[in-house]
Amino acid sequence: MSSATIQAIITSSVLLLVPVLWAAAGEAVCESAGVLNIGIEGVMLFGAFIAATVVHFGGTLWEGWLLAAPGGALMGAVLWFLYVHRGCDQIVTGIMFNLFALGATTALYEKYLTGAGVVTTIRSLRIPGLASIPWAGPALFDQTPLFYLGVIGCAVLYYVLWRTWFGLSLRAAGERPDVAMAAGLSVFKLRLVAVTIACVFASLGGAALTVISTGSFNIDVTSGQGFIALAIVILGRWNPLWIILGAWLFGLADALQFQLVTVSSLSGVPHDAWLAAPYLITIAVVVLARGARYPSATGVPFSPVRKRRRWIPGWT
Amino acid sequence: MTIGEKTDTHSRGQAGQKLAARGMHLLVPTLGALVVVCLTVLALGTNPFDVLRYMVSDSVGNQYNLSESLMVVAPLVLTGLAAAIPFSARLWNIGADGQLYIGAVAAVTVGLELGHDVSGPVLSGLCVLAGMAAGSLWALLAGVVKVTVAGNEVIVTLMLNLLAALAVDYVVTGPYAQSIAPQTKTIPHGATFGSFWQTGFNESIFIAIAAALIVAVFMQRTKPGFAIRAAGLNLDAARLAGFSVRRLWLGAFALGGACAGLAGALLVVAVYGALIPGMGEQYGYTGIAVALVARLKPLLIVPSAALFAAIEVGGNGLSASAGISPSIAYVIESVIVISFLAFNVLRVRQ
C-alpha cells in the first residue's frame, strides 16, 4: 500500500465520521436524560431529505444544512410527545417512526426530487500552518467545516452535560427521575430539551450526509448510520468527547471499505464483505461493552402519580 | 352491598356508556392517523379520497387483486409471529427482516444444491426446513449476545438485518447469479408450489395459519409458552418460579427466527422460485406492526396480517393508478401503530 493510499484512508475516515458524530453526540444527551431514541435513523433520514430539498429548489448547501435544524426541532417535539408525554414504548415507537420516515421520504423523493442531484459538496476549510503536519494535518485541519463544528458541538455538549447544573439535572432525570422530581425538577421539561437537542443534532448529521458525503439524497440514504450512532454512544460511554473517537472508528471502517477495494492483493475478497465491516464492528462494540451501563431510566417511560388531563370523554 | 347486587347494577345504561367510551378510544386515534396520512398524501399532490378508492380496488377490488393480497398474508402472519413471540417475553426482536432473508438464502441454496438429487415435494420440504433452521440460528446470534453479555438486542438485530441484506446481495451477484435479472437461478420446477387463480396465491397461506395455530397452542397451553409470557409480565417472578430465563430467552428468539425464516423460505418456494433482492419489502418491520395491532395474540395476528396485507398491496398499485410511490403504505402502517400507541389503544408494557 502506498503512502498516498494511507493518507487517503486517514483523510476520508475523518470526513466519513461527520454524520454519525453529530447523531451520536445528540443521542448521548438524550439517553443521559432517560430517553432511548431508536427513531434517530428516521430523524437523520428526514434531515438528509430536508437538506436535499432545499438545495434542489435553489438554496445553497449551507442553507440546506442549517434548515435541517428547525426540522429536527419539530421532530424532537413530536417524538417527545410520544416518548415522554404519552409514555409510549420507546423502542416500538422509534422503529415505527423509522418506517414512517422511510415511507414519507421515499414517496416525496420519487415525486419531487428524482433526476437532478446535488453535484457539489461543501468545500473544505484549510487551517493554515496546522494543515501541513504530516499525516494528521490534511485529515484534521484541511477538512469540511462541518467536522470542526461537530467537534465544537461535542465539546459544548460535554461541558453542558458534565460541568453545569443543568447537565446534572438532565443526568438525574436519566438515572432517577423520581428523585429528580422530588428535588423539584420537571422531568418532562428536561426530557423535552434533551430530545430536542438529540433530534436537532441527528437531523444536522443526516443533512451532513447530503451536503458532504453522498452529494444528493437517495432512498434510505442513511442505511443504518443512525443505528451505528446508537452503538457509538455505548462505545463513548455517554461522554461526547469519547464519542468523537468512537465515531472515528466507524469512519475508519467506512474509509477502509472504500479504499481497500482498489488494492489488488485483496481483490479476492467479495465487495459485500467490505460493506459488512461497519455493521460487524457495531455488533462487536455491543458485545465487548460489558462494562457499559445505560443510565438506569433509559428506555423507561416516566409516569409520576399525577392526575392526567382528560382530553376526550371516556379517557383513562 | 354484596357482589351479586353489584353486578345487577350494571344496567344497560352503564354498558352503553362503556361501549361509547370504547368507541371513543378507537375513534380518536383513527382520526389522528387519518389526518397525518391525509396530510402526507396532500403533500404528494394527490387527493386522499382518490387514494383510498384506488387502494380499496387495488387490494380487494377483483379476483386477481384479492389473490395478491392473500399471497402477502402468509409472510406477514409469519413475521408477525416472529415479532410477537419474543415481544411476549419483552425481547425486542427487530430482526425479522434479516431472519426472513437468511431463511430465503438457505432455502434457495438447498433448492439449487440438492435440486439434481431430490425432487418434488421432498425438495420443497427440505428448503422450508433449511429456511426455518437458518432464520432460527440468525435470531439466536442476537439471543446469545443478550444472555451472555446482556448486549442490547435491538442494536444487534438491526445490524443483523443489514448484514442479511448484504448476504442476499452476495448470493445474488456471486455463486448462484442468474445472467439476465438481478436474482438467483430458479429452483427446480417440481419443488415450487402450485398456485390458485394463476397468481402467487397458494397453499403457503394455510401453512402460515397453521403456524399461527401451533404458536397459539404453544403460548397458551404449554409450559415453555407460559414461561415466555411470564418472563414478559414479571421477570423476577418468572425467575423465582424456577424458570431458566436464559433458556427461555434463547427459545423465544429461536422460535421467532424460525417463523421469519419460514416466511423467507415460503417466498422462495411458493412465490418466486428464486431469491430476489427486495422481495421481502420490509415485511419484517411490518410484522412488528401486525403483532402490535394483534396485541401479541397469535390468533389475532391472522386478521391483523390480512389488514396490513391489504394496505401493502393497495399501496403497491398506487404508482400505476395515482402516480405516487408504493412506500406510502409504510406511512399508513406506521401512523396507525403510533397513534394507537399514543392513545393507549395498544400497550406494550403492562
Side-chain angles (χ1 to χ4, degrees):
Chain A
M1 220 186 311
S2 67
S3 66
T5 316
I6 296 174
Q7 182 66 67
I9 289 175
I10 297 175
T11 310
S12 58
S13 72
V14 176
L15 181 70
L16 290 167
L17 73 77
V18 174
V20 281
L21 175 68
W22 282 92
E27 181 70 17
V29 175
C30 172
E31 286 183 14
S32 298
V35 179
L36 182 65
N37 183 17
I38 302 276
I40 185 173
E41 172 89 1
V43 178
M44 283 184 84
L45 203 51
F46 269 121
F49 180 77
I50 292 169
T53 312
V54 171
V55 175
H56 183 81
F57 291 107
T60 64
L61 289 166
W62 277 103
E63 283 166 2
W65 185 70
L66 287 171
L67 277 173
L74 184 68
M75 284 180 269
V78 170
L79 285 174
W80 170 82
F81 173 75
L82 295 169
Y83 289 151
V84 182
H85 189 270
R86 299 303 314 149
C88 300
D89 184 84
Q90 292 168 13
I91 291 168
V92 171
T93 312
I95 291 291
M96 285 297 133
F97 182 79
N98 292 339
L99 194 62
F100 172 74
L102 179 66
T105 54
T106 305
L108 290 166
Y109 166 77
E110 287 184 356
K111 180 82 181 176
Y112 298 113
L113 294 188
T114 42
V118 187
V119 280
T120 53
T121 54
I122 286 183
R123 266 189 303 146
S124 59
L125 182 70
R126 187 181 167 87
I127 297 178
L130 290 172
S132 31
I133 302 170
W135 303 115
L140 293 176
F141 301 109
D142 188 8
Q143 200 50 266
T144 171
L146 301 188
F147 170 68
Y148 308 134
L149 288 174
V151 171
I152 295 169
C154 280
V156 170
L157 287 186
Y158 169 78
Y159 181 79
V160 169
L161 204 53
W162 293 93
R163 293 281 181 271
T164 63
W165 277 103
F166 178 68
L168 186 64
S169 312
L170 276 183
R171 286 183 289 129
E175 288 288 352
R176 292 288 299 274
D178 45 345
V179 173
M181 194 182 75
L185 301 168
S186 167
V187 174
F188 282 38
K189 279 182 195 157
L190 286 168
R191 288 187 176 176
L192 173 62
V193 176
V195 175
T196 308
I197 291 176
C199 288
V200 168
F201 270 65
S203 182
L204 287 174
L209 205 58
T210 297
V211 298
I212 61 169
S213 312
T214 57
S216 66
F217 188 80
N218 229 324
I219 293 169
D220 198 14
V221 69
T222 47
S223 64
Q225 298 229 23
F227 305 134
I228 288 174
L230 294 176
I232 292 173
V233 175
I234 300 175
L235 191 63
R237 299 291 190 272
W238 295 270
N239 179 335
L241 293 180
W242 283 112
I243 281 173
I244 302 175
L245 268 183
W248 181 70
L249 178 69
F250 284 89
L252 191 63
D254 257 353
L256 283 173
Q257 157 210 317
F258 283 123
Q259 296 294 334
L260 292 185
V261 172
T262 57
V263 176
S264 56
S265 56
L266 294 169
S267 61
V269 182
H271 182 231
D272 293 308
W274 295 119
L275 292 177
Y279 308 141
L280 288 172
I281 295 175
T282 305
I283 294 178
V285 165
V286 175
V287 171
L288 297 177
R290 290 196 72 163
R293 185 187 66 85
Y294 273 94
S296 42
T298 300
V300 185
F302 179 56
S303 52
V305 183
R306 60 174 192 140
K307 205 172 174 188
R308 283 194 184 254
R309 238 177 313 165
R310 278 173 171 252
W311 282 26
I312 48 169
W315 186 263
T316 46
Chain B
M1 194 164 67
T2 65
I3 295 166
E5 273 171 354
K6 203 178 168 189
T7 42
D8 282 343
T9 54
H10 276 275
S11 59
R12 272 171 72 196
Q14 263 183 330
Q17 250 180 8
K18 237 181 170 177
L19 201 69
R22 282 202 133 179
M24 269 325 246
H25 271 229
L26 277 174
L27 192 67
V28 172
T30 312
L31 284 178
L34 271 179
V35 168
V36 177
V37 171
C38 286
L39 285 177
T40 317
V41 171
L42 285 174
L44 292 166
T46 321
N47 183 346
F49 294 103
D50 285 348
V51 168
L52 181 68
R53 212 179 57 235
Y54 289 135
M55 282 187 75
V56 170
S57 72
D58 285 338
S59 57
V60 292
N62 56 41
Q63 195 190 36
Y64 179 81
N65 293 341
L66 182 65
S67 67
E68 283 280 301
S69 301
L70 287 173
M71 180 193 99
V72 177
V73 171
L76 285 184
V77 166
L78 291 168
T79 52
L81 292 173
I85 299 166
F87 278 25
S88 301
R90 280 215 209 158
L91 286 173
W92 307 110
N93 178 20
I94 316 293
D97 221 46
Q99 290 142 23
L100 181 146
Y101 276 118
I102 287 296
V105 167
V108 89
T109 308
V110 167
L112 291 174
E113 291 290 337
L114 301 181
H116 307 293
D117 311 324
V118 213
S119 66
V122 183
L123 183 59
S124 33
L126 285 175
C127 288
V128 165
L129 284 180
M132 287 173 76
S136 195
L137 287 174
W138 199 248
L140 271 176
L141 290 178
V144 167
V145 171
K146 173 80 179 172
V147 299
T148 51
V149 295
N152 186 333
E153 76 273 23
V154 177
I155 300 177
V156 177
T157 47
L158 283 167
M159 287 301 126
L160 289 174
N161 286 348
L162 296 163
L163 287 173
L166 290 176
V168 169
D169 191 53
Y170 174 69
V171 173
V172 166
T173 54
Y176 302 122
Q178 189 214 51
S179 47
I180 311 155
Q183 63 174 66
T184 61
K185 291 175 224 156
T186 46
I187 61 173
H189 192 68
T192 52
F193 288 12
S195 69
F196 310 150
W197 306 340
Q198 258 73 57
T199 56
F201 169 48
N202 55 29
E203 296 91 332
S204 59
I205 191 169
F206 302 119
I207 297 179
I209 292 173
L213 282 171
I214 292 168
V215 171
V217 172
F218 171 77
M219 295 296 279
Q220 296 294 334
R221 293 276 181 267
T222 67
K223 200 171 152 191
F226 174 72
I228 287 174
R229 286 187 296 131
L233 291 168
N234 190 329
L235 197 58
D236 291 328
R239 214 173 254 141
L240 288 171
F243 294 121
S244 160
V245 170
R246 291 180 171 209
R247 210 181 300 162
L248 71 88
W249 274 355
L250 287 177
F253 261 116
L255 208 57
C259 290
L262 176 60
L266 284 179
L267 280 178
V268 168
V269 173
V271 182
Y272 296 105
L275 177 61
I276 305 170
M279 71 180 183
E281 307 188 35
Q282 314 279 340
Y283 288 151
Y285 295 101
T286 311
I288 296 172
V290 168
L292 289 172
V293 168
R295 300 185 175 209
L296 308 185
K297 300 235 182 330
L299 286 181
L300 289 181
I301 279 177
V302 177
S304 168
L307 171 73
F308 280 94
I311 295 174
E312 197 106 320
V313 173
N316 277 340
L318 284 180
S319 52
S321 50
I324 60 177
S325 164
S327 59
I328 201 77
Y330 305 146
V331 173
I332 299 173
E333 290 162 1
S334 57
V335 167
I336 289 175
V337 175
I338 290 177
S339 62
F340 276 19
L341 283 169
F343 289 94
N344 289 348
V345 179
L346 299 174
R347 258 176 233 174
V348 180
R349 281 162 207 264
Q350 280 73 23

